[in-house]
Amino acid sequence: MIQAGDILRTINSPDDLKHLDVTQLIQLADELRQFIVDNVSVYGGHFAASLGVVELTIALHYAFNTPTDQIVWDVGHQAYGHKILTGRMENFHTNRTYKGLSGFPKRSESPYDTFGVGHSSTSISAALGMAVANQYQKDDRQHIAVIGDGALTGGMAFEAMNHAGVTNSNLLIVLNDNCMAIDPNVGALKDYLVDITTSKTYNRVRDEIWNILGKISKFGPNAQAIASKVESGLKASLLKQSNLFESLHIRYFGPVDGHDLNHMVQVMKDLRDIPGPKILHVLTTKGKGYSLAEKDQVKWHAPGKFDKVTGQIHVKTYDTPQAPKYQDVFGHTIIELAEKNEKIMGVTPAMPSGSSLNLMMEKMPDRAFDVGIAEQHAVTFSAGMATQGLITFCNIYSTFMQRAYDQVIHDVCIQNLHVIFCLDRAGFAGVDGPTHHGAYDLAFFRCIPNLVVSAPMNEQELRNLMYTAQLEKNKGPFSIRYPRGQGVMPNWKTPFEEIEIGKGRKINDGQDVAILSIGHIGNYVVDAKKLLLEEELTPAHYDMRFVKPIDEAMLHEVFKTFKKIITVEDGCLMGGFGSAVLEFMADHNYVAQVVRLGIPDRIVEHGEQMELHKECGFDPQGIAQAVRKMSALIGV
């Protein structure tokens, strides 16, 4: 276990911070930053985001009375320092490991984690809800939403600010401005914030205003009057630059240096006494204190394990060629298709490197778009292009597609537009946990009219589904889901072949038991069959490829031949692929014993993908065991 510094090891809760003087707080910041570097280098995890908010984290817990005063961290990958300072230092080495600490704030883990997070742009809404509730209950607490400039681009953040401005809520929004999300921020808001932070006139007046603000506490009963003058001064100094926040009736303060710990503590103490909704603009550097992370913030967002001295990221080496990541197959394949079809466009909401659409953005910058953290806009933007005859590959992580469900139905499927949804990170996302698992897309997509729902078993199938989806004859909504991580084909760059929509494929014949799989998890079935060979158990295997339209001819063949059937999916059992098979069986009056393997109807926590597959019983051993049980019942 990593050893903490002399001061950090004495901090068991934020109350312990209150006993430190200014010099000790600065030393604590150095020790906390080093502790994060030491732990992430050995155990992995998110990195640059937490380094950037070390001083901000300490200032918040020092100035406010947490957990009575409630802090909501947007997304939460920057909350490692928060976790360490709130009693989880000894267990921090278990962060993002199976049965260990969550990589994100989580209500069941600590009273200091006031709201469970993982998706972007939720903090202001949540903190405002808390503030209104406590105001109604006459509970005098402070409520702080810490949101990055990347997350602020999400529409939900603007909706929340619009509401906050007409309340008298005790809400402080801390805008952590580092010009980064996972990838560099895009859009007009980024330019607007840069204008504020680089205005020489503004910064000169700002310094004068802050000199006044720093003296507020000395005016006793007149503090409110002084605060009002400060507010008026800020409004006058900001001129047009402040109209975004001020026009929403949210008092704007800043920008302040997010690494000047003493100044931030004083500012936050002063802001506690100013009523109503307000925003503090804090400038930070993502990766602060680790030079390599400061220089390449995308690479060091979540680098995995690394040598903290040399900065060398530990990468496994292999003697034989390895299969690529599915996201990279997508990234290279869309370029191949776009080179042959000038109508093809690419869209992603703030995940160009995570989806590998950055490859197309570099090669075809006028045909690939990062629209910011705005999944709803990404879908409807894609729909708009489709009305003009273009074919849009809209790449959104499965878990984030949940945020754009209405747009898929209302803007794409009802109008039957040629938008191709590529759902990365489908199934278990791994150590990011339940906020990032792509568990539900098969279920929530297959009930939508006009939408083709598919999943490839390997890289070749992914390429062929992408090729098929963009053909003019298949004009209409199409979804392709694939998991996080590697495929199974080192030699994956195969010639394109059209796949008949709604047509599955038989992997092998067999006896007694038939296994129907959808997507990459079919490779687990292949592994399970190898385990069963020595026991002379030979189940048949069908790769269905499509959940909608499902291959009815193949299902008729299966139900006429087998009375023991297993379905396997890396998705929720409620309403998913297995449910589709049961519906077919009922609709056609077949009688068979069907066992469904997949994600159960509960929240599955974080862990490596194979650990979670095993927990839920659809790893190769679990599939083999299901075959054994069914085979034992043959003839009973």
Side-chain angles (χ1 to χ4, degrees):
M1 190 171 67
I2 305 297
Q3 294 299 311
D6 293 340
I7 295 180
L8 180 58
R9 72 181 58 164
T10 68
I11 306 299
N12 297 307
S13 75
D15 288 340
D16 296 328
L17 294 176
K18 309 296 195 291
H19 304 298
L20 303 180
D21 60 28
V22 171
T23 303
Q24 290 173 312
L25 281 181
I26 294 174
Q27 183 179 338
L28 174 64
D30 291 338
E31 292 182 5
L32 180 56
R33 183 169 277 114
Q34 188 59 51
F35 189 75
I36 293 172
V37 171
D38 290 344
N39 272 274
V40 177
S41 66
V42 173
Y43 302 110
H46 291 109
F47 186 60
S50 285
L51 291 184
V53 297
V54 165
E55 289 83 6
L56 173 58
T57 302
I58 294 173
L60 285 168
H61 283 293
Y62 190 86
F64 293 98
N65 181 29
T66 56
T68 301
D69 293 336
Q70 298 178 310
I71 302 172
V72 180
W73 297 89
D74 209 283
V75 184
H77 57 233
Q78 78 279 46
Y80 286 7
H82 160 81
K83 284 180 176 262
I84 293 164
L85 294 176
T86 54
R88 287 166 277 184
M89 180 169 55
E90 289 189 2
N91 292 326
F92 190 68
H93 65 284
T94 70
N95 185 51
R96 288 164 54 93
T97 61
Y98 189 57
K99 305 296 185 182
L101 294 178
S102 170
F104 300 93
K106 183 177 179 182
R107 279 172 53 83
S108 61
E109 190 176 286
S110 170
Y112 293 93
D113 293 357
T114 61
F115 199 78
V117 292
H119 289 188
S120 166
S121 312
T122 63
S123 61
I124 303 176
S125 296
L128 178 61
M130 295 172 182
V132 169
N134 286 316
Q135 186 178 46
Y136 170 74
Q137 298 173 72
K138 303 188 186 315
D139 192 346
D140 186 22
R141 302 185 184 193
Q142 301 286 332
H143 307 85
I144 307 98
V146 184
I147 184 168
D149 51 316
L152 196 66
T153 65
M156 189 175 174
F158 287 93
E159 294 168 18
M161 287 192 292
N162 181 58
H163 183 195
V166 296
T167 71
N168 190 31
S169 57
N170 200 3
L171 173 68
L172 171 62
I173 302 167
V174 177
L175 171 55
N176 173 35
D177 183 359
N178 58 25
C179 297
M180 289 289 295
I182 292 176
D183 290 282
N185 288 331
V186 297
L189 180 63
K190 176 200 69 173
D191 297 335
Y192 171 78
L193 294 176
V194 169
D195 287 344
I196 287 181
T197 59
T198 57
S199 168
K200 292 181 180 179
T201 301
Y202 165 75
N203 281 285
R204 176 178 55 77
V205 178
R206 179 208 65 185
D207 291 340
E208 296 173 3
I209 297 298
W210 279 118
N211 285 335
I212 298 173
L213 183 62
K215 299 173 183 176
I216 282 182
S217 58
K218 300 177 182 179
F219 287 87
N222 297 320
Q224 297 302 324
I226 298 298
S228 179
K229 291 181 180 179
V230 170
E231 177 185 359
S232 298
L234 279 171
K235 286 180 178 178
S237 69
L238 284 168
L239 299 174
K240 293 181 180 180
Q241 291 171 321
S242 72
N243 63 10
L244 174 62
F245 303 111
E246 294 286 349
S247 64
L248 294 172
H249 307 298
I250 298 174
R251 296 179 179 91
Y252 174 95
F253 300 96
V256 297
D257 181 353
H259 301 297
D260 186 342
L261 179 53
N262 294 330
H263 187 205
M264 276 200 300
V265 167
Q266 187 58 53
V267 167
M268 289 179 183
K269 285 182 176 180
D270 290 332
L271 290 179
R272 290 182 314 191
D273 300 324
I274 298 177
K278 46 203 171 284
I279 185 165
L280 175 63
H281 187 178
V282 177
L283 304 181
T284 63
T285 300
K286 195 171 183 179
K288 179 71 173 179
Y290 193 78
S291 61
L292 293 174
E294 292 184 36
K295 294 174 184 175
D296 191 344
Q297 297 169 337
V298 175
K299 178 180 179 180
W300 289 90
H301 172 73
K305 301 175 184 179
F306 61 94
D307 186 314
K308 68 178 183 179
V309 177
T310 66
Q312 182 177 357
I313 297 173
H314 300 317
V315 179
K316 289 183 179 179
T317 58
Y318 300 91
D319 296 330
T320 58
Q322 295 297 298
K325 293 180 179 179
Y326 277 103
Q327 69 181 63
D328 292 334
V329 174
F330 164 83
H332 291 289
T333 300
I334 191 174
I335 292 173
E336 286 183 65
L337 293 172
E339 288 173 340
K340 299 174 182 177
N341 186 344
E342 62 182 11
K343 293 183 178 181
I344 288 177
M345 312 293 278
V347 173
T348 188
M351 288 292 174
S353 60
S355 69
S356 293
L357 191 68
N358 59 335
L359 302 176
M360 185 181 186
M361 291 172 67
E362 292 167 4
K363 193 162 188 177
M364 304 174 175
D366 60 334
R367 298 175 64 183
F369 303 91
D370 173 4
V371 301
I373 301 177
E375 293 86 1
Q376 293 171 304
H377 167 61
V379 171
T380 305
F381 173 62
S382 299
M385 286 196 287
T387 66
Q388 304 305 302
L390 299 181
I391 303 166
T392 308
F393 281 82
C394 182
N395 190 303
I396 302 180
Y397 290 6
S398 171
T399 184
F400 299 143
M401 181 56 81
Q402 297 161 190
R403 297 156 66 89
Y405 190 55
D406 177 60
Q407 286 68 31
V408 172
I409 298 172
H410 185 273
D411 299 334
V412 176
C413 293
I414 287 178
Q415 302 184 91
N416 202 27
L417 296 173
H418 201 176
V419 177
I420 302 161
F421 298 111
C422 291
L423 306 189
D424 199 340
R425 271 64 165 177
F428 282 134
V431 295
D432 281 335
T435 59
H436 284 59
H437 295 331
Y440 311 110
D441 58 272
L442 288 178
F444 68 57
F445 265 8
R446 78 176 187 88
C447 62
I448 305 175
N450 290 334
L451 180 60
V452 174
V453 182
S454 68
M457 185 171 158
N458 55 41
E459 298 91 320
Q460 180 179 24
E461 293 283 295
L462 172 56
R463 285 170 57 78
N464 289 339
L465 283 171
M466 290 176 66
Y467 171 74
T468 299
Q470 56 88 46
L471 294 175
E472 189 70 20
K473 61 186 283 190
N474 295 325
K475 184 180 280 188
F478 202 114
S479 74
I480 308 169
R481 57 124 54 186
Y482 48 90
R484 180 178 192 167
Q486 286 183 298
V488 294
M489 296 178 63
N491 299 315
W492 59 273
K493 203 168 185 180
T494 55
F496 290 121
E497 295 180 15
E498 181 181 354
I499 293 176
E500 182 180 346
I501 291 183
K503 185 68 173 178
R505 59 179 186 146
K506 183 190 294 183
I507 304 298
N508 64 268
D509 288 311
Q511 297 179 339
D512 302 326
V513 177
I515 304 176
L516 311 182
S517 65
I518 185 76
H520 173 82
I521 212 71
N523 295 291
Y524 280 15
V525 178
V526 174
D527 293 337
K529 289 185 297 184
K530 294 175 183 177
L531 297 175
L532 295 168
L533 277 178
E534 295 181 1
E535 304 169 44
E536 298 183 352
L537 295 175
T538 56
H541 181 199
Y542 297 83
D543 169 28
M544 297 302 295
R545 281 186 178 144
F546 298 90
V547 174
K548 184 176 183 179
I550 202 161
D551 189 338
E552 294 197 353
M554 181 168 283
L555 289 180
H556 279 298
E557 174 188 328
V558 169
F559 278 98
K560 288 177 180 178
T561 308
F562 299 92
K563 297 302 179 185
K564 307 289 182 180
I565 297 166
I566 299 171
T567 66
V568 186
E569 60 195 298
D570 189 7
C572 64
L573 290 173
M574 297 286 284
F577 164 63
S579 292
V581 174
L582 289 178
E583 291 167 15
F584 174 88
M585 182 178 75
D587 290 344
H588 294 87
N589 298 311
Y590 286 112
V591 177
Q593 180 183 356
V594 179
V595 170
R596 294 175 300 144
L597 302 180
I599 299 176
D601 186 28
R602 61 179 173 83
I603 300 300
V604 179
E605 300 296 343
H606 60 281
E608 297 294 338
Q609 287 167 302
M610 184 59 82
E611 291 175 321
L612 302 181
H613 294 157
K614 180 178 181 180
E615 176 184 319
C616 295
F618 60 92
D619 63 328
Q621 291 79 9
I623 297 170
Q625 184 61 19
V627 172
R628 293 186 190 102
K629 288 182 178 180
M630 294 200 88
S631 297
L633 295 174
I634 299 296
V636 175

